[in-house]
Amino acid sequence: MVIVRPADATPAMLQTAIRNVVGEANVRTGKVKLDIPPLVENGNTVPMTVSVTSPMTADEYVKSIHVFNEKNPQPNIGNFYLGPRAGRAQVSTRIRLADSQKVTAIARLSDDTFWSATADVVVTLAACTEEAI
Amino acid sequence: MRIAACIALLTAMAGAALATEIPLSERRSGYSFMSADTRAMQDEDTANPGMLSVLDGETLWKRKAGTADKACADCHNDARVSMKGVAAHYPAFEKALGKPVDLEGRINVCRTNHQQASPFAYESRDLLALSAYVAQQSRGEPIAAGDDPELAPFVEKGHALFMQRQGQLNLACTNCHDDNWDKKLAGSAITQGQPTGYPLYRLEWQALGSLQRRLRACITGIRAQAYDYGSLELVELELYLMTRARGMPIETPAVRP
Amino acid sequence: MPSALINVPKKAKRGDVIEIKTLMSHIMETGYRHTASGDVVPRDIITSFTCRFNGAEVFRADLYPAIAANPFITFFTTVTESGKFEFEWSGDKGFSETAQASITVE
């Protein structure tokens, strides 16, 4: 029998996690596209795709993509390191969302500028059909 | 909160009309109620986490076990040929036992009688993997369980269990899955409760699970005492569900929310 | 007996950008769950995933407990020559698994 203790990442934790990645740099909105269903059937497995507009050439490319969330116990979701030879700056994975919340993706470009996109996700609760196991 | 949602539903269903069976043309797999994202997870083998268990099953199929030191493959050769369509006929009547067994039960019969090894525990990783591998060989095959006349009394028992109100919520399977499959329960689709995809990967479980696990979850959901894994009642319910789903294609390993 | 599913095209033309899909079996126990008696279920996750092509790193990821069970990761790479992709997952409790896939570039 396992029960889940709700413990949210605080906005301060989220800010710290983001600062750990971007340092003092300014994060601008744009260039990044975050595809995540606005309404998901189960927060355990939420498909997510991040893509960044970039020519992906030797002098102009995406170095890394960082994904954060607001309300899971820990603000980090994943860091993805690419480089010019990726050819296309796009990664997909499946994530867990403990509750309806915002998800933020930040990209670091080769000129060390940071760009971001944020999406809201509503998680429908599972029905009354199963208790925790 | 979940309990509150159930009670609200119970009240809503109190006046529900008498149950009627779903005609063939209206039978719909749980797949058709899912979001596009969850469907995509099932559709593509390299994106479907249930396929990881199928891979494990393929390894186990070839592994020798028991005092007989035999692998499934030693007797059944290539599963793609020998096991094609088999899962579509389960549960089947097992003469030696005088009762029906589901696919998991049948695999355990081979395990004990033919491999002379101890049976796999229900919901064990190995049993799920082997049943997923065997059932996947029937993907796309129409369900055709319950033909054997010996099964008739057991189908009847399964049907009776499906119609019987039980638990603190005093609901029968039929109240949700025949009468209200077009409705929603606390945000998620009720669906027709079709057994087409098992064992399947349920996002809620974050793992593969058997039809018996799913049925036990529904029974617990109506606040009734769930039958034990491997009990005749669960096999009878599985058997009735499979006859009720006749003609629908097997989807193993399916994905469900 | 962890299994991996890898999807890499068998063939490509020089300079093509190909998509690679990977699925690894792992429970990804978050470390934030408790048993009924109050004990923490210890964290057991994959923390790192790397893809190399002919020995050179082409993609890497740090994973956290918010990555769903049985991690699914897809990404792109430009192919320049025939060779071998090597995939490596590592994590808590000494978890370490590898897989490979070859590609022929025409």
Side-chain angles (χ1 to χ4, degrees):
Chain A
M1 175 85 160
V2 172
I3 49 172
V4 181
R5 294 258 172 88
D8 293 356
T10 62
M13 282 161 73
L14 177 59
Q15 281 318 309
T16 310
I18 292 177
R19 283 295 153 214
N20 283 344
V21 167
V22 308
E24 294 309 309
N26 184 21
V27 180
R28 278 171 280 183
T29 1
K31 290 191 195 275
V32 179
K33 188 159 167 267
L34 174 56
D35 271 315
I36 189 163
L39 182 74
V40 300
E41 290 170 313
N42 191 298
N44 286 338
T45 315
V46 183
M48 174 200 84
T49 298
V50 184
S51 45
V52 187
T53 312
S54 164
M56 296 305 274
T57 58
D59 3 277
E60 207 182 336
Y61 59 92
V62 176
K63 281 186 176 168
S64 57
I65 294 170
H66 309 266
V67 187
F68 304 92
N69 69 87
E70 217 185 358
K71 284 194 190 163
N72 284 352
Q74 188 177 12
N76 299 80
I77 293 180
N79 301 322
F80 306 92
Y81 304 92
L82 6 162
R85 70 176 292 173
R88 186 161 159 192
Q90 179 175 325
V91 296
S92 301
T93 188
R94 295 175 185 149
I95 67 173
R96 289 176 169 143
L97 294 175
D99 203 347
S100 298
Q101 57 183 295
K102 281 187 169 44
V103 174
T104 298
I106 298 180
R108 175 186 204 138
L109 307 195
S110 46
D111 61 3
D112 288 323
T113 57
F114 291 90
W115 298 83
S116 79
T118 294
D120 281 293
V121 185
V122 175
V123 178
T124 32
L125 288 179
C128 61
T129 45
E130 186 157 35
E131 296 300 296
I133 341 162
Chain B
M1 182 155 138
R2 286 178 166 203
I3 297 176
C6 285
I7 309 251
L9 178 91
L10 167 70
T11 324
M13 282 179 182
L18 210 71
T20 41
E21 210 163 304
I22 303 164
L24 185 62
S25 60
E26 282 175 36
R27 285 180 202 167
R28 280 173 59 189
S29 154
Y31 176 89
S32 70
F33 296 81
M34 306 195 306
S35 73
D37 299 293
T38 316
R39 286 189 205 184
M41 224 177 275
Q42 171 171 331
D43 288 344
E44 196 189 322
D45 280 352
T46 45
N48 181 343
M51 286 304 290
L52 293 168
S53 302
V54 170
L55 269 187
D56 285 349
E58 188 176 4
T59 309
L60 289 170
W61 179 262
K62 296 174 190 148
R63 184 177 295 169
K64 293 191 190 297
T67 334
D69 198 30
K70 285 222 151 66
C72 317
D74 290 334
C75 296
H76 295 293
N77 303 310
D78 188 346
R80 285 171 299 180
V81 180
S82 64
M83 293 292 138
K84 191 174 161 59
V86 167
H89 293 87
Y90 273 74
F93 189 73
E94 188 60 39
K95 278 216 165 50
L97 300 173
K99 61 176 187 182
V101 292
D102 58 14
L103 189 63
E104 289 85 350
R106 173 63 239 190
I107 291 171
N108 264 339
V109 169
C110 276
R111 180 94 181 147
T112 40
N113 294 355
H114 295 303
Q115 292 185 310
Q116 291 163 38
S118 50
F120 293 116
Y122 270 91
E123 294 308 292
S124 62
R125 190 189 158 118
D126 288 359
L127 185 54
L128 285 169
L130 271 171
S131 49
Y133 179 60
V134 169
Q136 194 234 358
Q137 311 308 324
S138 299
R139 194 153 65 169
E141 299 279 321
I143 291 175
D147 281 344
D148 187 341
E150 303 252 41
L151 288 171
F154 300 97
V155 176
E156 208 33 64
K157 275 280 301 293
H159 184 204
L161 288 170
F162 194 82
M163 306 303 288
Q164 172 192 307
R165 284 178 181 267
Q166 54 175 328
Q168 281 174 39
L169 299 191
N170 195 32
L171 285 171
C173 318
T174 187
N175 296 133
C176 286
H177 295 301
D178 285 332
D179 301 339
N180 287 288
W181 56 262
D182 50 349
K183 304 210 173 51
K184 291 207 157 200
L185 177 52
S188 64
I190 291 179
T191 87
Q192 299 179 351
Q194 300 289 5
T196 47
Y198 289 84
L200 57 70
Y201 191 91
R202 198 169 166 219
L203 306 187
E204 171 82 14
W205 297 332
Q206 303 184 60
L208 202 79
S210 69
L211 180 54
Q212 292 205 358
R213 178 171 180 189
R214 175 68 250 195
L215 300 187
R216 283 167 51 91
C218 273
I219 297 169
T220 312
I222 49 176
R223 307 266 172 277
Q225 180 65 42
Y227 310 110
D228 289 336
Y229 276 115
S231 63
L232 186 57
E233 286 89 347
L234 285 182
V235 176
E236 287 164 345
L237 268 174
E238 289 181 87
L239 178 59
Y240 171 66
L241 286 173
M242 288 292 276
T243 59
R244 179 175 171 267
R246 281 182 78 82
M248 298 179 74
I250 298 267
E251 293 165 52
T252 312
V255 175
R256 294 287 182 272
Chain C
M1 191 175 57
S3 313
L5 270 169
I6 308 286
N7 189 357
V8 171
K10 294 217 167 5
K11 278 186 185 164
K13 289 198 181 63
R14 190 175 311 277
D16 276 359
V17 175
I18 60 159
E19 184 174 23
I20 296 182
K21 299 185 184 180
T22 66
L23 189 57
M24 180 62 180
S25 72
H26 198 288
I27 51 167
M28 296 294 282
E29 181 61 55
T30 60
Y32 295 108
R33 300 198 308 158
H34 294 71
T35 62
S37 52
D39 300 329
V40 175
V41 182
R43 194 185 87 164
D44 182 8
I45 66 166
I46 294 176
T47 50
S48 169
F49 167 75
T50 311
C51 171
R52 294 186 193 84
F53 183 67
N54 289 345
E57 179 180 305
V58 295
F59 180 82
R60 181 165 58 87
D62 305 326
L63 313 187
Y64 293 86
I67 297 290
N70 302 307
F72 177 68
I73 301 175
T74 77
F75 53 94
F76 290 82
T77 193
T78 313
V79 290
T80 48
E81 55 182 339
S82 297
K84 195 164 69 182
F85 287 101
E86 289 172 298
F87 304 91
E88 189 180 341
W89 296 259
S90 58
D92 298 337
K93 299 186 175 175
F95 185 87
S96 175
E97 286 296 323
T98 56
Q100 298 181 343
S102 295
I103 188 164
T104 307
V105 171
E106 291 152 346

